């Protein structure tokens, strides 16, 4: 007698743990994600920051004025200052006080400036919001002269406390400096 | 999903004054198709995973004094001068540099140890002023590296100093004195003298 063929039953995989983990990761990443500020999105350059030993200090996100000193991506001989504010409410107020900013740049969160305009912008920023913190975000390849000038401009405009923006040094770089 | 047909009918509970008992239907467990939910979740998950960067920039705080025109006199013996030249070489001397006390070159990897040693010398403990003279043509990354090494040196220095007590019997507080100055012509001459 031929055996009765059992009907094949479809098998079921319990997807619950998978979905659990997925949701967990999703919520974590959603809560930790930070979107670029407008000033950051307008950047035409990439800054390679100097690296230092690991630290817990983090760049403040609110009411920050950043002085970028960057090398142009397309023209490596061209270094210039850029000024940006993270508080978008302050931007029009600050620009109002600086007539040198042309009207077509008024809507921008990041403007290319020279040293005189930079000084005026710093003073205007402090008069609009005195609690603004300053940061110098400079490329590591530039000469110190650029940073020194920016520091002197800050000093002249009564901004005596500021930050250098840096990156954490990786272990490979650490070993390299040890060899030096 | 199935079995919604009778939902709109008005249940006839009362009929000619009599209560009509409906037959209770056996409850059938229902299933929700989770596929679209999981689809969207995975899509979002992949998006966030690709767009997040975990590495955030950190900061190094600087405080600079206001412009001062008054001269401040300091003891030369309490002065540690570091000089960073245009070719990114670092030199140091203590006190006043002359032929007997020429500026010496030092690799950055040894700077931390030097700063700790000089700051903890018994004669100048907690009074040493560090001056960093930087050539305008020096590399910015190198300057930050030096500042970082000096910051790192503060950890053992502060620890050693906090173990001591002052005249009032209270633990001593570390007072860091540090300043940045431009490298002058005279400094360069001094370094050239060292080269010969």
């Amino acid at each position: 007698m031929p055996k009765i063929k059992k009907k094949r039953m479809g098998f079921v995989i319990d997807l619950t743990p998978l979905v659990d983990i997925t949701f967990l990761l999703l919520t974590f990443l959603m809560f930790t994600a930070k979107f670029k500020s407008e000033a950051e999105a307008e950047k035409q350059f990439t800054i390679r920051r100097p690296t230092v030993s690991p630290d817990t200090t983090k760049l403040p996100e609110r009411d920050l004025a950043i002085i970028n000193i960057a090398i142009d991506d397309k023209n490596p001989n061209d270094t210039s200052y850029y000024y940006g504010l993270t508080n978008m409410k302050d931007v029009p107020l600050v620009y109002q006080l600086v007539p040198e900013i042309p009207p077509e740049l008024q809507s921008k969160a990041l403007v290319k400036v020279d040293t005189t305009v930079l000084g005026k912008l710093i003073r205007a920023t402090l008069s609009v919001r005195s609690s603004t913190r300053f940061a110098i975000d400079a490329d590591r390849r530039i000469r110190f002269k650029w940073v020194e000038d920016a520091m002197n401009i800050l000093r002249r405009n009564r901004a005596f406390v500021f930050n250098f923006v840096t990156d954490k040094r990786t272990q490979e770089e650490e070993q390299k400096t040890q060899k030096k | 999903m199935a079995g919604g047909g009778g939902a709109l009918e008005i249940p006839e509970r009362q009929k000619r004054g009599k209560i009509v008992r409906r037959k209770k239907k056996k409850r059938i467990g229902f299933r929700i198709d989770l596929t679209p939910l999981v689809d969207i979740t995975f899509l979002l998950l992949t998006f966030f995973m690709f767009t997040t960067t975990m590495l955030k920039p950190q900061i190094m705080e600087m405080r600079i004094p206001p412009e001062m025109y008054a001269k401040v006199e300091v003891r030369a013996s309490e002065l540690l001068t570091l000089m960073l030249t245009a070719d990114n070489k670092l030199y140091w001397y203590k006190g006043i540099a002359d032929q007997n006390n020429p500026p010496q070159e030092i690799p950055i990897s040894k700077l931390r140890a030097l700063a700790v040693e000089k700051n903890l010398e018994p004669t100048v403990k907690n009074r040493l002023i560090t001056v960093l003279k930087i050539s305008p043509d020096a590399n910015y990354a190198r300057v930050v590296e030096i500042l970082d090494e000096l910051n790192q040196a503060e950890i053992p220095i502060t620890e050693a100093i906090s173990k001591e007590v002052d005249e009032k019997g209270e633990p001593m507080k570390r007072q860091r004195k540090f300043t940045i100055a431009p490298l002058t012509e005279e400094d360069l001459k001094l370094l050239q003298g060292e080269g010969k």
Side-chain angles (χ1 to χ4, degrees):
Chain A
M1 232 173 106
K3 264 192 188 171
I4 297 168
K5 255 195 182 169
K6 261 194 188 169
K7 219 183 183 180
R8 266 217 182 151
M9 299 265 269
F11 64 97
V12 176
I13 300 173
D14 187 11
L15 288 176
T16 323
L18 178 73
V19 177
D20 282 358
I21 294 296
T22 316
F23 267 107
L24 189 77
L25 276 173
L26 179 66
T27 357
F28 169 70
L29 290 170
M30 270 173 79
F31 277 111
T32 52
K34 276 266 150 53
F35 289 95
K36 269 186 183 174
S37 69
E38 258 175 77
E40 229 173 309
E42 283 170 17
K43 268 183 193 170
Q44 297 286 323
F45 47 81
T46 32
I47 285 185
R48 288 166 63 194
R49 300 195 176 102
T51 54
V52 297
S53 30
D55 199 342
T56 51
T57 53
K58 289 278 171 281
L59 192 65
E61 271 145 21
R62 293 182 55 213
D63 301 339
L64 184 75
I66 301 181
I67 300 165
N68 284 123
I69 311 173
I71 297 171
D72 199 287
D73 276 348
K74 285 168 197 150
N75 185 0
N77 296 322
D78 195 4
T79 310
S80 32
Y81 293 107
Y82 298 83
Y83 191 76
L85 291 167
T86 55
N87 191 334
M88 287 311 286
K89 277 184 205 155
D90 290 355
V91 173
L93 301 173
V94 171
Y95 287 175
Q96 241 172 34
L97 297 172
V98 186
E100 281 88 349
I101 306 281
E104 67 265 22
L105 291 178
Q106 298 267 344
S107 59
K108 300 252 177 170
L110 192 73
V111 280
K112 193 170 172 174
V113 289
D114 61 17
T115 43
T116 19
V117 181
L118 180 65
K120 284 183 182 173
L121 278 169
I122 291 168
R123 209 172 315 152
T125 310
L126 279 174
S127 66
V128 168
R129 193 183 292 275
S130 58
S131 61
T132 308
R133 299 181 63 175
F134 289 90
I136 296 180
D137 191 1
D139 197 287
R140 63 169 171 235
R141 292 162 292 175
I142 61 165
R143 288 182 299 156
F144 184 68
K145 180 176 83 92
W146 291 89
V147 184
E148 197 180 21
D149 289 348
M151 277 163 66
N152 286 333
I153 294 166
L154 279 167
R155 187 208 307 257
R156 246 177 272 139
N157 292 291
R158 314 197 60 77
F160 301 125
V161 181
F162 56 88
N163 303 301
F164 283 140
V165 184
T166 55
D167 266 335
K168 190 160 76 180
R169 189 184 292 141
T170 55
Q171 277 187 333
E172 291 155 35
E173 283 171 317
E174 190 90 40
Q175 282 161 3
K176 247 186 234 170
T177 38
Q178 291 302 317
K179 273 176 202 163
K180 265 189 233 165
Chain B
M1 274 199 275
L8 284 174
E9 279 171 29
I10 304 153
E12 288 180 38
R13 294 206 123 205
Q14 272 179 317
K15 214 176 186 183
R16 285 178 219 148
K18 273 184 189 170
I19 296 168
V20 181
R21 288 243 171 101
R22 263 221 229 155
K23 251 191 192 171
K24 256 193 184 168
K25 260 189 189 169
K26 217 183 184 181
R27 266 212 182 157
I28 302 166
F30 65 95
R31 273 169 183 267
I32 298 174
D33 188 10
L34 287 176
T35 325
L37 178 74
V38 177
D39 282 358
I40 294 295
T41 316
F42 267 108
L43 188 77
L44 281 173
L45 179 67
T46 359
F47 169 72
F48 280 109
M49 273 175 74
F50 278 114
T51 52
T52 8
T53 40
M54 293 288 166
L55 199 72
K56 279 228 182 107
Q58 47 185 37
I59 49 171
M60 184 183 272
E61 193 175 278
M62 297 287 293
R63 282 163 197 275
I64 45 174
E67 274 175 303
M68 274 198 300
Y69 301 101
K71 276 191 180 172
V72 184
E73 284 190 5
V74 291
R75 258 186 237 166
S77 61
E78 291 173 3
L79 214 57
L80 175 70
T81 312
L82 300 167
M83 297 196 282
L84 184 65
T85 59
D87 51 359
N88 294 316
K89 279 183 183 155
L90 187 65
Y91 297 86
W92 74 275
Y93 64 86
K94 209 183 150 207
I96 295 169
D98 52 30
Q99 277 156 349
N100 302 323
N101 183 23
Q104 296 168 49
E105 196 182 337
I106 184 172
I108 286 192
S109 55
K110 286 187 184 146
L111 178 63
R112 197 184 306 187
L114 177 89
V116 174
E117 185 201 319
K118 296 292 166 197
N119 270 289
L120 292 180
E121 271 178 13
T123 48
V124 293
K125 206 175 234 179
N126 219 4
R127 288 203 306 273
L128 191 75
I129 301 168
T130 312
V131 184
L132 178 59
K133 292 187 172 178
I134 309 166
S135 156
D137 291 324
N139 177 244
Y140 169 60
R142 193 41 79 91
V143 176
V144 172
E145 239 173 89
I146 291 169
L147 293 174
D148 183 45
E149 286 299 316
L150 291 174
N151 282 343
Q152 296 296 317
E154 281 305 299
I155 303 167
I157 295 169
T158 313
E159 199 197 337
I161 283 175
S162 63
K163 279 178 188 157
E164 299 190 13
V165 283
D166 57 8
E167 309 90 58
K168 288 176 195 162
E170 283 166 23
M172 267 217 269
K173 269 187 193 147
R174 164 75 174 146
Q175 283 175 331
R176 187 177 180 189
K177 292 171 191 137
F178 175 73
T179 174
I180 291 181
L183 196 73
T184 59
E185 288 286 319
E186 281 172 42
D187 297 321
L188 282 174
K189 271 182 203 157
L190 207 69
L191 288 174
Q192 275 162 5
E194 186 260 355
K196 280 163 202 166

